[in-house]
Amino acid sequence: MKFINSSKAVVVSLCAFSFLHSNAQTNKEEKSLISTKVFTDGTNHWYHIKDKTNIVNPIPNQPQYAETDYAKIADNILLFQRNNGGWPKNYDMKAILTPKQIDTVIKTKPILHTTFDNETTYTHVNYLAQVYTLTKDAKYKDGALKGIDFIMEAQYGNGGWPQYYPLEKGYSRHITFNDGAYMGIMNLLKKIVNNDPDFEFIDIKTRKKVTASYEKGIDCILKMQIKEDEKLTAWCQQHDEITLLPAWARKFEPPSICNAESVDIVLFLMAIDNPNEKIIASVQGAVKWFQDSKIYNTRVESFQAPEMESKYKKITNDVRVVTDTAAPPIWTRYYELGTHKPLFSDRNSELLYSLAEVSRERRSGYAWYTDKPEKALKKYPAWQKKWDSGNDVLKN
């Protein structure tokens, strides 16, 4: 019996060791897995949106690297990085490129058409930093540092960032919150300022520059918040780079109070420890605006519709607004300056006041409604109790 029990103990011990070893391996693999989700927007554009300006276009059934092939993905990122340190937008960083595609991309490196749009550049820098942490291969560190230098060079003196740098003609010169550009940069810089382990390689001199850039970025955010009747509201998608006032971007993106993009700004400000009075007032004003701009009894639904071919893509659906007393609160993407009416537009820049007035191509191809403000409203009570306990704007 003792022998049998002893054997059982050995088996149990071996099983336990195997289980622990397996868990350790799994944990190590999970830790080394770097998400490429941040490149989804650019990837979708490359595969699904017609764009004659693309450097290269996908081939049929373009093969992709696995998520675990992070070094190969990072090599792709370095391939697309241009000589000024920035990146062009709308390509798949997981694509296994053909020799011809690679050669074409290499030839475009001197072109200075680089951007923060569609989650570009700051996401690439962050990915390279993570790969360097895992591999210690200097080329990834060098690429990340070059990208960080590009970001700081692109910053306006007032603290904002354009959509494209070097500066180009048109609305891309405006300070841009749209598609996460400004806040994507700020969240990257925050990691560096807060000594994130993936950025330990940054020297003291560069870290000081990043800290100064970050603080200027916060100051610019506070200056751009739209104030009406002496009350702080939220932000526009784009602000004039000189006056800091709300500005037109694309023809269907008017100057307005833009709830969708404003939420990420508020969540960023809420995450700042020991906020000063200006930051507290900014959050309070925006949260109050979110509460006051709720739309009730409204639901937006997509439905199948006869197929049509637009200049940009094939359309097989349509979108409509319906009355639904059980629907949770919702917000429009835009609110008119001054009147605070829900606002829409189209490719002719006409100001419209219902989704039904928008052409089908834009009606079904743009997010005119949002539920994002609910994220800020849910986080507000804990933030308010911690940083401004005597002033609950949701009860006032």
Side-chain angles (χ1 to χ4, degrees):
M1 288 294 292
K2 288 182 179 178
F3 175 76
I4 294 173
N5 287 343
S6 177
S7 297
K8 287 182 178 179
V10 171
V11 171
V12 170
S13 296
L14 287 172
C15 288
F17 173 79
S18 177
F19 175 77
L20 291 171
H21 179 71
S22 175
N23 271 3
Q25 287 291 100
T26 301
N27 290 339
K28 186 176 180 181
E29 288 170 5
E30 287 176 354
K31 186 177 180 181
S32 67
L33 185 65
I34 306 172
S35 175
T36 57
K37 188 177 180 181
V38 292
F39 303 123
T40 299
D41 196 12
T43 298
N44 287 339
H45 274 77
W46 195 48
Y47 288 113
H48 304 301
I49 305 292
K50 300 173 186 176
D51 190 345
K52 294 179 181 179
T53 67
N54 281 350
I55 307 166
V56 291
N57 289 303
I59 61 174
N61 301 312
Q62 181 98 40
Q64 292 179 307
Y65 292 116
E67 194 89 343
T68 50
D69 290 329
Y70 48 81
K72 292 177 181 176
I73 295 168
D75 287 340
N76 258 359
I77 290 173
L78 292 177
L79 174 68
F80 277 94
Q81 187 176 28
R82 289 185 163 164
N83 293 344
N84 65 350
W87 279 264
K89 68 177 182 178
N90 298 342
Y91 298 97
D92 179 14
M93 294 300 102
K94 291 170 67 176
I96 301 175
L97 302 176
T98 65
K100 184 178 180 180
Q101 287 174 322
I102 292 171
D103 185 58
T104 302
V105 173
I106 290 173
K107 289 177 181 177
T108 65
K109 279 185 170 288
I111 297 175
L112 305 182
H113 182 65
T114 38
T115 185
F116 303 110
D117 193 27
N118 292 351
E119 299 182 286
T120 306
T121 295
Y122 56 89
T123 51
H124 297 78
V125 170
N126 193 45
Y127 195 95
L128 290 175
Q130 293 177 80
V131 176
Y132 174 70
T133 298
L134 292 173
T135 65
K136 299 304 178 186
D137 191 325
K139 64 181 178 180
Y140 303 128
K141 176 184 71 174
D142 293 343
L145 286 169
K146 195 173 179 180
I148 291 167
D149 286 340
F150 170 82
I151 289 169
M152 290 189 290
E153 183 181 341
Q155 189 176 28
Y156 285 122
N158 58 24
W161 280 273
Q163 191 180 62
Y164 278 81
Y165 187 81
L167 297 176
E168 301 185 359
K169 293 180 180 180
Y171 71 85
S172 69
R173 301 171 74 96
H174 292 330
I175 296 171
T176 303
F177 288 113
N178 199 15
D179 290 326
Y182 195 117
M183 301 318 299
I185 295 169
M186 288 297 290
N187 281 305
L188 173 70
L189 300 187
K190 185 178 181 179
K191 283 187 173 184
I192 299 170
V193 170
N194 289 347
N195 299 310
D196 185 283
D198 286 325
F199 292 92
E200 287 180 350
F201 60 85
I202 295 181
D203 60 88
I204 294 174
K205 185 178 179 181
T206 302
R207 196 173 291 277
K208 285 182 178 179
K209 288 182 179 179
V210 169
T211 301
S213 177
Y214 174 76
E215 290 173 352
K216 284 171 61 179
I218 292 176
D219 184 58
C220 190
I221 287 171
L222 300 177
K223 288 178 178 177
M224 286 188 290
Q225 190 168 10
I226 299 167
K227 195 172 189 178
E228 295 193 338
D229 298 326
E230 298 305 311
K231 294 180 180 179
L232 290 170
T233 61
W235 292 261
C236 188
Q237 281 183 323
Q238 297 85 15
H239 288 252
D240 185 275
E241 66 276 16
I242 298 171
T243 67
L244 302 185
L245 295 173
W248 276 97
R250 287 177 290 185
K251 292 182 181 296
F252 51 89
E253 296 174 328
S256 57
I257 303 173
C258 183
N259 277 15
E261 269 67 29
S262 293
V263 172
D264 287 339
I265 302 172
V266 174
L267 294 177
F268 173 85
L269 294 175
M270 280 183 169
I272 294 174
D273 283 330
N274 300 308
N276 60 34
E277 290 182 5
K278 288 184 178 180
I279 293 173
I280 291 172
S282 177
V283 171
Q284 294 282 35
V287 167
K288 176 64 174 168
W289 163 255
F290 291 151
Q291 177 72 9
D292 292 346
S293 58
K294 282 182 178 180
I295 297 170
Y296 297 92
N297 306 319
T298 300
R299 178 167 50 83
V300 181
E301 63 179 21
S302 176
F303 59 95
Q304 289 295 114
E307 184 177 299
M308 66 172 281
E309 189 80 26
S310 78
K311 177 183 176 182
Y312 307 93
K313 64 178 181 178
K314 187 180 293 184
I315 303 170
T316 59
N317 73 307
D318 202 348
V319 179
R320 62 191 168 208
V321 175
V322 298
T323 299
D324 182 354
T325 56
I330 199 171
W331 293 260
T332 47
R333 185 174 195 140
Y334 303 126
Y335 290 80
E336 189 173 38
L337 296 170
T339 69
H340 297 173
K341 292 179 181 178
L343 184 65
F344 306 85
S345 190
D346 216 321
R347 290 193 183 273
N348 61 0
S349 297
E350 182 181 1
L351 298 183
L352 307 170
Y353 297 94
S354 72
L355 186 61
E357 297 175 83
V358 181
S359 68
R360 181 180 166 192
E361 184 272 325
R362 278 297 77 197
R363 188 169 63 233
S364 63
Y366 197 64
W368 294 103
Y369 284 81
T370 181
D371 60 2
K372 285 183 68 176
E374 192 61 40
K375 294 180 181 178
L377 291 173
K378 284 181 177 178
K379 286 185 175 291
Y380 174 74
W383 177 89
Q384 183 265 327
K385 287 178 183 177
K386 186 173 183 179
W387 300 117
D388 199 13
S389 60
N391 183 24
D392 186 346
V393 298
L394 298 184
K395 291 182 179 179
N396 295 341

